[in-house]
Amino acid sequence: MLDLTDAAFVEDPYPAFAAARDRAPVQWDDGLGMWLAYGHAEANAVLRTRALGRIWTDRAPAERFGQFNLIHRNAILEMEPPDHTRLRRLISAAFARGHVERLRPWVEELAGSLVDGMVERSVAGEPVDLFTGMAEQLPVEVIAELLGVPQADRPLLRPWSNAIVKMYEYGRTTETEDAAEVAAAEFVAYLRDLAAQRRTAPGEDLLTHLVTARDADGDRLTEDELVTTCVLLLNAGHEATVNVTGNGLLALLQHPDQLARLRADPALLPTAIEELMRFDAPLQLFERTATADVELGGVTVAQGQKIAALLGSGNHDPAVFEAPDTLDVGRTDNPHISFGAGVHFCIGAPLARVELQASFGALLARTSSLELAGEARRRPEFVIRGLAELPLSLEPVATHG
Ligand code: HEM
C-alpha cells in the first residue's frame, strides 16, 4: 500500500516503487481503493487501453463545486472519443510541431533575459530562486502570450491554477477544496469576459482562433467548452513545465558529472531534457475507470473499478531502462511516459520541449557556474511532483577585454 501523503515517500518515492515492481507490476491498493500499475508496460497499457477511460464524475455536492465541475466536465482531458476527438482536432493544430518551432527564437530570448536577470542578482549578492527567477515565469509567459492573455493579467494565472490543481491530490482539506472552487469561479468569469472582448475585437491569438472556430460553426465549440479549453491550456500549459525545470535542475545539481558533461557538449540538450523528464516526472499518477473487464499485468480490472498509471514508477522500470536510477544525459533509448500515451498524449509536448531546451540551454550558456545556495524545498504533494524553492548561486560567463 502507498501512503501518498507520507513525507518520506513524497521526498523520494522511487525505492518504494522499485520494491512494489519486484512484487507485481499491478497491485490492488486498499488505501486508495484502486489498482496501481507500477511496471512500464502496464502503466503504458493503462493509458492506451480504450476500455480504461477517463470518466469524469462531478464532485459533490454540486452547489459547492459548480465552477470546478464545469471546467472539468467540458475538458478534453476528461472526455473520451468521439467528443474527445472533435475537441482535440480543434485545438491541436495550434500546437503542431511546425507552428511551435516558430516560437523558438522568442522563447530562447525570453529564457536568456531571465537567466541574465538571475545572474545579475546573484552577482549583487541577492538571493535567487529558480522558480521566481525563471521556472514559473517562462511557461506562464509563453502560454499566456499564445492564448492572448493581456500582460497586466498574467500574474493572476498561476495562483488560480495552483489552487485548482490542488484538487487532484489525495488527502486534501476542506479549505483547499473551497479555494479551488473560488479560483475556478474567478478564472471562468475572467475568461468569459476575455472571450467576449475577442468576439468584438479579434486578435491574432489562440483565444480568437477558438472563438472564431465556434462562431463559424455553432455546434463545434460551446461557450463552456471554449472557457474550459482555455483554463485547461493555461493550467496544463505551465504546471508540469515549471516542475520539470525545478526537478530537472535539482537532478543536474545533484549529479555534477552530468551537469559538466552537458556544459561541455550542448548538443546533448535534447536527450538531456528527455532524461530529466524520465528521471523525476512532474506528473506521477493518472486514473482511469474500466468500462468493461480488462486483463492487465496478471490481474482483472473489473468493470467500474479504477486503475492508475504510475508514470514515475514506469520510468524507472529496469525491464525497459538500463540502469534506471542512473541519470544519463546522453540516454538515447528513452521511451519515458512523462507525456502520457494513447489518445490523451500531451498536446503541449512540442511546446514544452522548446521551453525546456530554451531554459536549460540559457542556464548553461549564460553562466560559468551554477550551484545550490541553500536547501531545495519540496512541496508536500505527490501527484504534481515538484519543488517550492530552489535557491541558486550563478556566476556569469567570463567576458574578454
Ligand atoms: C513538461 C511539461 C508537460 C508534461 C510532463 C505534460 C504531461 C501530460 C500528460 C501526462 C498528459 C496526459 C494525461 C492523461 O493521460 O491522463 C497531458 C495531457 C495534456 N497536456 Fe500536457 N504536459 C506538459 C506540458 C504541456 C503544455 C506546455 C501544454 C499546453 C499546451 C499541455 C497541454 C496538455 C493538454 C491540453 C492535455 C490533454 C490532452 C488530451 O486529453 O487529449 N501540456 N500532458
Side-chain angles (χ1 to χ4, degrees):
M1 237 168 67
L2 294 183
D3 180 357
L4 304 183
T5 57
D6 178 69
F9 171 73
V10 171
E11 182 63 35
D12 181 9
Y14 298 102
F17 289 156
R21 270 192 320 264
D22 281 347
R23 288 194 297 274
V26 179
Q27 295 168 44
W28 178 257
D29 192 292
D30 251 341
L32 296 168
M34 63 173 124
W35 296 97
L36 294 179
Y38 291 95
H40 182 275
E42 293 76 14
N44 204 1
V46 167
L47 301 173
R48 290 176 184 276
T49 302
R50 294 295 305 280
L52 297 173
R54 263 206 175 251
I55 310 293
W56 173 255
T57 38
D58 274 356
R59 299 288 176 267
E63 60 281 8
R64 207 177 139 219
F65 293 115
Q67 299 304 298
F68 179 83
N69 286 334
L70 179 126
I71 57 165
H72 289 82
R73 205 186 297 134
N74 295 292
I76 42 167
L77 193 53
E78 307 297 341
M79 286 177 181
E80 286 296 299
D83 291 343
H84 174 267
T85 321
R86 172 184 136 259
L87 213 51
R88 178 143 179 150
R89 202 180 306 126
L90 254 168
I91 48 183
S92 59
F95 293 97
R97 193 183 304 280
H99 194 75
V100 164
E101 220 27 71
R102 280 199 288 281
L103 295 172
R104 193 184 285 272
W106 173 71
V107 179
E108 282 174 348
E109 204 180 304
L110 179 60
S113 70
L114 290 170
V115 172
D116 288 350
M118 289 196 295
V119 171
E120 252 172 57
R121 291 198 295 285
S122 188
V123 168
E126 293 169 29
V128 174
D129 167 37
L130 175 73
F131 288 89
T132 49
M134 179 170 88
E136 293 184 338
Q137 283 200 43
L138 184 130
V140 172
E141 201 62 28
V142 171
I143 194 70
E145 181 73 26
L146 266 177
L147 267 154
V149 174
Q151 194 86 42
D153 301 336
R154 294 181 188 175
L156 296 165
L157 299 175
R158 192 146 165 83
W160 279 336
S161 174
N162 277 178
I164 292 167
V165 302
K166 290 256 183 335
M167 280 292 277
Y168 310 148
E169 300 293 339
Y170 297 81
R172 51 180 188 267
T173 60
T174 310
E175 288 76 38
T176 321
E177 295 184 345
D178 290 343
E181 175 62 15
V182 169
E186 289 178 7
F187 210 163
V188 167
Y190 172 78
L191 285 168
R192 283 201 201 287
D193 206 47
L194 196 60
Q197 288 176 32
R198 288 295 183 284
R199 215 165 275 135
T200 47
E204 303 271 281
D205 45 63
L206 182 54
L207 178 54
T208 301
H209 167 85
L210 292 171
V211 166
T212 327
R214 172 185 176 259
D215 286 349
D217 185 354
D219 68 357
R220 288 177 72 195
L221 199 62
T222 67
E223 166 84 14
D224 284 346
E225 284 172 347
L226 171 71
V227 166
T228 299
T229 301
C230 292
V231 172
L232 176 64
L233 289 173
L234 287 167
N235 289 1
H238 69 84
E239 284 291 347
T241 319
V242 171
N243 291 312
V244 177
T245 314
N247 296 347
L249 187 59
L250 178 63
L252 284 176
L253 293 170
Q254 288 171 336
H255 298 80
D257 59 321
Q258 295 302 305
L259 180 57
R261 190 177 162 204
L262 192 52
R263 239 186 221 295
D265 186 2
L268 288 176
L269 208 50
T271 54
I273 297 303
E274 299 309 306
E275 176 66 347
L276 296 175
M277 291 194 55
R278 179 195 74 82
F279 192 72
D280 202 8
L283 303 171
Q284 290 278 335
L285 180 152
F286 286 99
E287 284 179 17
R288 297 290 192 268
T289 306
T291 54
D293 288 1
V294 173
E295 303 290 325
L296 209 160
V299 307
T300 303
V301 183
Q303 182 176 0
Q305 281 186 331
K306 285 187 174 184
I307 180 164
L310 290 172
L311 308 190
S313 182
N315 284 345
H316 283 251
D317 187 343
V320 174
F321 301 97
E322 203 183 310
D325 299 327
T326 302
L327 184 75
D328 172 5
V329 294
R331 193 185 287 271
T332 46
D333 186 12
N334 187 356
H336 70 75
I337 48 174
S338 294
F339 281 124
V343 295
H344 291 285
F345 181 84
C346 181
I347 281 184
L351 180 62
R353 286 181 166 126
V354 164
E355 292 179 17
L356 292 164
Q357 287 170 14
S359 295
F360 281 86
L363 276 168
L364 295 173
R366 293 175 182 245
T367 65
S368 57
S369 141
L370 268 175
E371 277 174 32
L372 268 179
E375 216 176 309
R377 202 159 45 82
R378 184 164 289 290
R379 283 189 294 95
E381 292 92 19
F382 169 71
V383 176
I384 301 185
R385 177 170 176 76
L387 304 172
E389 201 187 350
L390 189 63
L392 287 180
S393 144
L394 309 91
E395 288 192 19
V397 277
T399 46
H400 299 284

